[in-house]
């Protein structure tokens, strides 16, 4: 498991070159979202359910901007702060709002918790964003219903959804643990809390685990990465073979 598709592809090629002629199975190298999506897709196929869909960034932006464009400045049901209303229809505001929703999803923060946090630290825009999130989720649910129940997930939701699936289905979790001989994690410092939760599920039961990390080299905090996960890694993953 690693961060970014380019890193995954490069790592896969390097592993294949090193083990050429000695193994029959392709080494499974994925980003966390790709691994989570594959897990959700396999589970849906085994249950005879529609395959999930990946909600792309542009598709998210379109939905968010459509909802923002529908806001009447005179009768705003969301309750955006007055100083933000002139920006509601701008691309930059939609992008910032999407980023906030994704960071909340990565940390398992729903509308109620987001509103509470906003009130606690004096951010009037967060309770409004929480109300917007409820509307956004309702729109996605309606879209899922029109696609014959095929659930759509964005990259931030994928990992949480996969972890929730494993927690709700002990048999599936056990089967997934048996399927993996060992787990290596590259660029651990660029993981987010949801990814560490998923990693703990699949490798926290005694699975051989090796992780590589340098918290000082983490550069993706703006995309949800939390290098603090490195410092507590050895306590949370006591079966890890090593951490570099």
């Amino acid at each position: 498991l690693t961060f970014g598709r380019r890193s995954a592809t490069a790592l896969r090629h390097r592993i294949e070159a090193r083990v050429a002629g000695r193994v029959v199975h392709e080494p499974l190298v994925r980003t966390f979202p790709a691994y989570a999506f594959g897990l959700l897709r396999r589970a849906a196929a085994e249950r005879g359910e529609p395959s999930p869909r990946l909600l792309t960034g542009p598709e998210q932006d379109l939905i968010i901007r459509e909802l923002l464009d529908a806001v009447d400045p005179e009768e705003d049901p969301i309750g955006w702060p007055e100083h933000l209303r002139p920006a509601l229809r701008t691309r930059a505001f939609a992008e910032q709002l999407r980023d906030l929703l994704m960071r909340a999803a990565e940390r398992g923060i729903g509308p109620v918790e987001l509103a509470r946090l906003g009130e606690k630290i004096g951010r009037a825009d967060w309770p409004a964003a929480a109300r917007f999130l409820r509307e956004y989720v309702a729109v996605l649910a309606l879209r899922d219903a029109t696609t014959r129940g095929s659930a759509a997930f964005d990259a931030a939701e994928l990992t949480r959804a996969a972890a929730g699936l494993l927690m709700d289905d002990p048999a599936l979790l056990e089967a997934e643990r048996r399927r993996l001989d060992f787990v290596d994690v590259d660029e651990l410092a660029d993981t987010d809390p949801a990814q560490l939760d998923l990693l703990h599920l699949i490798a926290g039961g005694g699975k051989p685990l090796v992780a590589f990390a340098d918290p000082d080299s983490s550069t993706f905090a703006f995309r949800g990465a939390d290098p603090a996960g490195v410092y507590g890694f050895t306590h949370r993953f006591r079966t890890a073979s090593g951490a570099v």
Side-chain angles (χ1 to χ4, degrees):
L1 293 166
T2 188
F3 180 87
R5 287 177 292 180
R6 289 185 179 180
S7 296
T9 300
L11 189 56
R12 186 183 309 116
H13 290 166
R14 289 166 60 190
I15 293 174
E16 289 172 348
R18 293 288 294 274
V19 302
R22 287 184 285 167
V23 294
V24 294
H25 296 294
E26 175 192 0
L28 179 66
V29 183
R30 298 288 185 271
T31 63
F32 275 91
Y35 170 74
F37 186 61
L39 182 63
L40 291 168
R41 189 164 51 186
R42 288 200 316 273
E46 291 173 0
R47 297 175 178 181
E49 299 173 354
S51 180
R53 298 183 298 110
L54 180 61
L55 191 64
T56 65
E59 189 176 359
Q60 278 183 282
D61 286 341
L62 178 61
I63 297 172
I64 290 174
R65 295 194 69 180
E66 286 178 346
L67 291 174
L68 290 173
D69 287 344
V71 174
D72 184 346
E74 302 300 325
E75 299 180 8
D76 176 15
I78 298 297
W80 291 107
E82 187 69 30
H83 69 279
L84 288 179
R85 291 184 184 180
L88 294 183
R89 289 180 170 81
T90 65
R91 182 183 299 273
F93 184 85
E95 291 174 350
Q96 289 290 317
L97 180 56
R98 176 164 73 95
D99 187 66
L100 173 62
L101 300 185
M102 292 183 71
R103 301 294 81 82
E106 290 162 354
R107 284 150 179 78
I109 297 175
V112 174
E113 180 67 6
L114 181 59
R116 188 190 68 80
L117 287 172
E119 293 169 356
K120 181 178 179 180
I121 65 175
R123 288 288 302 260
D125 53 334
W126 283 16
R131 291 186 287 272
F132 180 90
L133 177 57
R134 291 193 184 94
E135 186 175 346
Y136 175 75
V137 170
V139 169
L140 288 183
L142 180 60
R143 289 167 64 95
D144 292 345
T146 61
T147 54
R148 299 181 181 180
S150 178
F153 299 97
D154 62 37
E157 295 171 323
L158 279 174
T159 311
R160 283 287 173 198
L165 178 67
L166 293 176
M167 287 190 292
D168 292 341
D169 192 337
L172 178 63
L173 174 58
E174 182 60 29
E176 186 64 12
R177 286 176 171 174
R178 289 197 306 267
R179 194 176 73 88
L180 304 173
D181 294 325
F182 57 85
V183 179
D184 286 341
V185 182
D186 192 25
E187 302 180 29
L188 181 72
D190 284 322
T191 56
D192 61 49
Q195 292 168 350
L196 284 181
D197 288 345
L198 178 60
L199 179 64
H200 189 258
L201 281 168
I202 62 175
K207 185 66 60 181
L209 171 65
V210 179
F212 301 86
D214 177 2
D216 294 331
S217 69
S218 178
T219 57
F220 289 95
F222 69 97
R223 289 177 60 179
D226 185 0
V230 176
Y231 301 111
F233 180 80
T234 54
H235 295 285
R236 188 175 188 186
F237 296 86
R238 296 186 181 276
T239 61
S241 300
V244 180

